[in-house]
């Protein structure tokens, strides 16, 4: 529990807690390609991330309370795991020059559309910067979870998790 | 052995009762499924979120879709579902006394009885708790997800267990704001992924905090909260006022044991599973060998565990009446237990697993 003080008191994990769990990419990895980020650091019985991945890049194994392990070589950043995660804990992030992108799950109304100017928030719900929606994917297989892509200044890449509701 | 022609009566058409009835009917046993509500499904149709677990537990499927799948299966099997039907008591030798539409009373001579009556939400009393606007989290969830009525615009959630955090999220999805979630314990109770998605929406959590009072003329206008010490006593001068019009109480559930108690099933107190509950063995059989329990009545868990417990009860009851070979019963039971075991692992499941083991120990040596 000591590794999860922020999660169990503030409700959201700190960057340190997440890095300890080893499911976040490094800045160098983010500069190379889009990377899946899984913010799931408690042993709960759940494995749709593993079964949703066509590349077998996420492993939970047995028992299903294991934390996910990402194989970054295999991951193509297809994003199928984002709406598959019942905990809305998966995003895909990337860096291009001085801009960063995040693909994240969204289940609130009104539904943002491409071109919307949005406020980017960190894990504690604080607005850190402005962003713009560059894609909104509503495929049927997402089962009503929309996958949004937002672009924002690169310096906030590690903290940004979503947009203001 | 000639199978009995008397039916099994399953009481409660929630996830546990539906799965029990499905297993019985699949085995060829006559079954009557009774529910006091106008619609079957129990709480499943209020669950608009995606379920956890693995594929076998229908992970990633939203609760109401699981409800629809179970209903379709029970329809296809031709299960005798009697809605608006309350079971109010039992006669000798497992006679079930049912009242239909609060007007017609009749008796069913049952061979086996499976009680899947669910649970009741716990209450919390504080100054102003009778004001309109104070309600249980389950009540708010029914209002938004079944009746499509928003109970208020600004909500205080009392309790950070999975029910509290899931309903808080769904209230935001329905258009309300959640002012805060408070928790009496020093740590938050619900899954971290649930608390994290609420926190990122800007909702603050306050641990070691309780509600002191609700204030308002005609209905709730504000709530006063305060920090509490390790003995749960409010600490002076830590009071905070929140401008809210709705206060939701999510402080746990208690098994609805009335019918099992009426039937004479022996009880035991298990605090981790919500209080008094019928003692049962690993086949969900109570101390009355012809009566089974499944789902929240057999200890507060989740819909996914309730479904598996319902299957265990249905499979064993079918075998005990001669509708299934011992081999088939054992193999189906083993598969079900494996799925159930998977859900009772990890930091949350293990506590329930050990508590359930205690119950089953008592159930085997009754």
């Amino acid at each position: 529990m000591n590794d999860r003080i922020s999660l169990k008191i503030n409700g959201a994990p700190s960057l340190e807690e997440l890095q300890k769990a080893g499911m976040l990419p490094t800045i160098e990895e983010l500069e190379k390609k889009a990377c899946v980020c899984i913010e799931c650091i408690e042993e709960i019985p759940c494995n749709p991330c593993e079964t949703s991945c066509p590349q077998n890049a996420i492993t939970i194994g047995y028992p299903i309370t294991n934390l996910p392990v990402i194989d970054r070589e295999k991951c193509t950043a297809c994003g199928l795991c984002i709406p598959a995660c019942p905990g809305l804990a998966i995003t895909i992030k990337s860096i291009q020059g001085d801009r960063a992108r995040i693909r994240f799950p969204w289940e609130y109304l009104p539904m943002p559309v491409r071109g919307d100017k949005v406020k980017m928030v960190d894990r504690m719900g604080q607005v850190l910067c402005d962003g713009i929606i560059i894609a909104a994917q509503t495929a049927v297989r997402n089962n009503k979870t929309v996958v949004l892509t937002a672009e924002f200044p690169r310096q906030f890449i590690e903290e940004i998790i979503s947009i203001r509701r | 052995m000639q199978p009995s022609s008397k039916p099994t009566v399953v009481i409660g058409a929630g996830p546990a009762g539906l799965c029990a009835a499905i297993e019985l009917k699949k085995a060829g046993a006559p079954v009557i499924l009774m529910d006091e509500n106008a619609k079957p499904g129990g709480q499943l149709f209020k669950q608009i979120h995606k379920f956890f677990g693995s594929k076998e537990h229908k992970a990633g499927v939203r609760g109401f879709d699981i409800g629809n799948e179970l209903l379709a299966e029970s329809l296809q099997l031709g299960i005798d579902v009697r809605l608006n039907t309350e079971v109010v008591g039992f006669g000798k030798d497992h006679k079930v006394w049912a009242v239909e539409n609060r007007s017609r009373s009749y008796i069913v001579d049952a061979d086996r009885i499976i009680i899947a009556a669910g649970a009741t939400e716990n209450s919390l009393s504080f100054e102003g708790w009778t004001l309109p606007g104070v309600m249980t989290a389950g009540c708010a969830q029914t209002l938004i997800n079944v009746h499509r009525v928003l109970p208020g615009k600004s909500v205080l959630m009392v309790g950070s267990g999975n029910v509290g955090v899931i309903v808080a999220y769904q209230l935001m999805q329905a258009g309300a704001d959640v002012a805060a979630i408070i928790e009496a314990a020093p740590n938050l109770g619900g899954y971290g992924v649930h608390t994290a998605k609420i926190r990122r929406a800007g909702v603050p959590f306050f641990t070691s905090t309780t509600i002191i009072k609700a204030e308002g003329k005609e209905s709730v206008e504000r709530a006063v909260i305060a920090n509490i010490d390790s003995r749960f006593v409010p600490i002076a001068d830590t009071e905070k006022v929140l401008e809210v019009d709705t206060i939701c109480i999510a402080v746990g559930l208690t098994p609805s044991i009335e019918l099992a108690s009426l039937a004479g099933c022996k009880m035991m107190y298990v605090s981790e599973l919500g209080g008094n509950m019928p003692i049962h063995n690993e086949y969900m059989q109570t101390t009355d060998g012809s009566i089974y329990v499944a789902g929240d009545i057999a200890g507060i868990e989740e819909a996914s565990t309730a479904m598996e417990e319902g299957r265990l009860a249905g499979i064993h009851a079918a075998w005990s009446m001669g509708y299934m070979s011992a081999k088939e019963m054992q193999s189906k039971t083993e598969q079900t237990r494996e799925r159930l075991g998977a859900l009772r692992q990890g930091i949350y499941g293990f506590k329930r697993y050990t508590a359930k083991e205690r119950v089953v120990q008592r159930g085997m040596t009754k």
Side-chain angles (χ1 to χ4, degrees):
Chain A
M1 199 66 110
N2 282 342
D3 294 351
R4 305 167 181 141
I5 285 172
S6 178
L7 182 64
K8 298 321 281 184
I9 289 177
N10 300 323
S14 65
L15 193 55
E16 293 70 42
E17 287 169 13
L18 289 165
Q19 280 164 342
K20 223 175 197 172
M23 279 173 273
L24 292 189
T26 61
I27 296 290
E28 294 72 49
E29 285 170 321
L30 286 163
E31 281 171 335
K32 262 188 245 154
K33 66 174 196 175
C35 295
V36 66
C37 309
I38 307 186
E39 307 209 350
C40 175
I41 61 172
E42 283 182 336
E43 294 83 357
I44 56 174
C46 193
N47 70 1
C49 54
E50 178 179 45
T51 49
S52 70
C53 180
Q55 310 298 331
N56 297 317
I58 304 175
T59 305
I60 300 255
Y62 182 83
I64 59 166
T65 40
N66 287 341
L67 296 182
V69 176
I70 305 164
D71 184 335
R72 298 205 177 277
E73 295 281 300
K74 285 186 187 167
C75 175
T76 62
C78 71
L80 284 176
C81 53
I82 297 173
C85 171
L88 306 193
I90 303 183
T91 62
I92 289 178
K93 291 181 178 180
S94 61
I95 295 175
Q96 282 147 332
D98 63 349
R99 302 290 287 171
R101 281 184 181 187
I102 181 170
R103 253 188 284 166
F104 61 100
W106 187 255
E107 295 184 333
Y108 296 113
L109 293 168
M111 200 56 69
V113 293
R114 200 184 146 155
D116 278 0
K117 291 193 170 89
V118 289
K119 300 284 182 194
M120 307 303 299
V121 297
D122 67 7
R123 296 178 183 87
M124 300 290 283
Q126 305 282 335
V127 174
L128 291 191
C129 60
D130 290 330
I132 185 161
I133 298 292
I134 55 171
Q137 189 223 73
T138 57
V140 172
R141 63 163 182 269
N142 291 4
N143 191 10
K144 300 181 178 74
T145 305
V146 175
V147 177
L148 297 175
T149 307
E151 199 186 277
F152 56 95
R154 114 171 226 163
Q155 74 219 68
F156 302 107
I157 181 84
E158 288 187 298
E159 281 80 26
I160 293 298
I161 189 71
S162 189
I163 58 173
R164 190 169 72 182
R165 181 183 152 247
Chain B
M1 181 164 102
Q2 187 65 33
S4 154
S5 58
K6 289 198 285 184
T8 294
V9 173
V10 180
I11 305 165
L18 277 167
C19 285
I22 286 170
E23 290 301 330
L24 280 157
K25 190 75 180 179
K26 277 204 290 202
V31 55
I32 301 172
L33 177 58
M34 296 183 177
D35 196 292
E36 62 183 342
N37 296 293
K39 278 185 184 170
Q43 307 305 305
L44 276 174
F45 288 98
K46 301 173 193 173
Q47 311 307 325
I48 62 169
H49 56 282
K50 291 177 179 171
F51 274 39
F52 290 78
S54 66
K55 240 185 201 141
E56 299 76 51
H57 308 109
K58 302 197 183 291
V61 182
R62 294 182 187 274
F64 63 90
D65 285 327
I66 297 177
N68 281 329
E69 283 176 28
L70 291 177
L71 287 195
E73 196 177 354
S74 61
L75 271 178
Q76 199 196 352
L77 288 167
I79 292 171
D80 180 357
V81 184
R82 303 190 186 175
L83 300 170
N84 298 308
T85 300
E86 289 172 78
V87 173
V88 293
F90 301 101
K92 259 192 189 154
D93 301 326
H94 306 107
K95 298 216 169 28
V96 177
W97 177 18
V99 176
E100 188 188 289
N101 289 317
R102 301 205 167 179
S103 55
R104 192 175 80 89
S105 167
Y106 62 93
I107 303 279
V108 176
D109 191 4
D111 197 313
R112 298 284 184 274
I113 298 169
I114 297 177
I115 309 178
T120 311
E121 290 184 278
N122 294 338
S123 179
L124 190 66
S125 58
F126 48 87
E127 193 182 328
W129 74 304
T130 56
L131 277 172
V134 181
M135 64 191 74
T136 62
C139 168
Q141 195 183 33
T142 306
L143 285 171
I144 54 176
N145 295 346
V146 177
H147 303 296
R148 307 276 172 149
V149 172
L150 199 57
K153 287 185 174 142
S154 182
V155 184
L156 167 65
M157 181 63 70
V158 180
S160 72
N162 276 340
V163 172
V165 289
I166 288 172
V167 174
Y169 181 65
Q170 294 177 356
L171 279 160
M172 290 194 283
Q173 289 183 298
D177 284 325
V178 177
I181 298 183
I182 62 172
E183 169 59 54
N187 283 303
L188 299 173
Y191 283 179
V193 287
H194 285 314
T195 59
K197 73 186 181 191
I198 286 170
R199 184 76 214 209
R200 75 175 75 122
V203 178
F205 285 93
F206 299 111
T207 53
S208 299
T209 299
T210 193
I211 180 163
I212 302 294
K213 59 181 168 183
E215 292 179 336
K217 266 196 202 125
E218 306 272 306
S219 60
V220 174
E221 291 169 35
R222 70 198 77 84
V224 179
I225 60 172
N227 295 346
I228 49 176
D229 63 22
S230 57
R231 288 166 303 131
F232 295 96
V233 178
I235 301 168
D237 302 322
T238 62
E239 292 185 355
K240 255 198 248 350
V241 178
L242 299 173
E243 302 290 324
V244 294
D245 58 15
T246 306
I247 298 170
C248 286
I249 309 297
V251 294
L253 298 121
T254 300
S256 297
I257 60 169
E258 297 85 346
L259 282 175
S261 192
L262 267 178
C265 302
K266 285 191 190 136
M267 302 288 158
M268 74 183 279
Y269 187 86
V270 189
S271 66
E272 304 96 308
L273 295 172
N276 271 315
M277 46 180 280
I279 297 170
H280 59 267
N281 65 16
E282 52 183 339
Y283 301 104
M284 308 311 295
Q285 223 173 356
T286 66
T287 50
D288 176 325
S290 297
I291 302 179
Y292 297 75
V293 286
D296 274 352
I297 186 181
I300 306 302
E301 292 192 88
E302 294 160 1
S304 33
T305 48
M307 291 189 276
E308 305 299 1
E309 285 193 346
R311 292 192 194 282
L312 282 180
I315 290 163
H316 195 267
W319 165 79
S320 73
M321 295 182 292
Y323 287 98
M324 197 184 279
S325 70
K327 202 176 154 200
E328 192 181 356
M329 185 274 282
Q330 271 149 12
S331 112
K332 283 189 163 178
T333 298
E334 206 44 57
Q335 289 164 20
T336 311
R337 272 199 205 128
E338 228 165 80
R339 292 193 302 270
L340 199 47
L343 296 171
R344 289 181 182 148
Q345 288 171 350
I347 50 172
Y348 293 91
F350 189 67
K351 206 170 77 173
R352 287 184 277 116
Y353 172 79
T354 48
K356 268 282 184 186
E357 285 294 291
R358 263 180 18 241
V359 177
V360 167
Q361 282 303 319
R362 280 282 294 279
M364 302 302 267
T365 59
K366 69 200 175 206

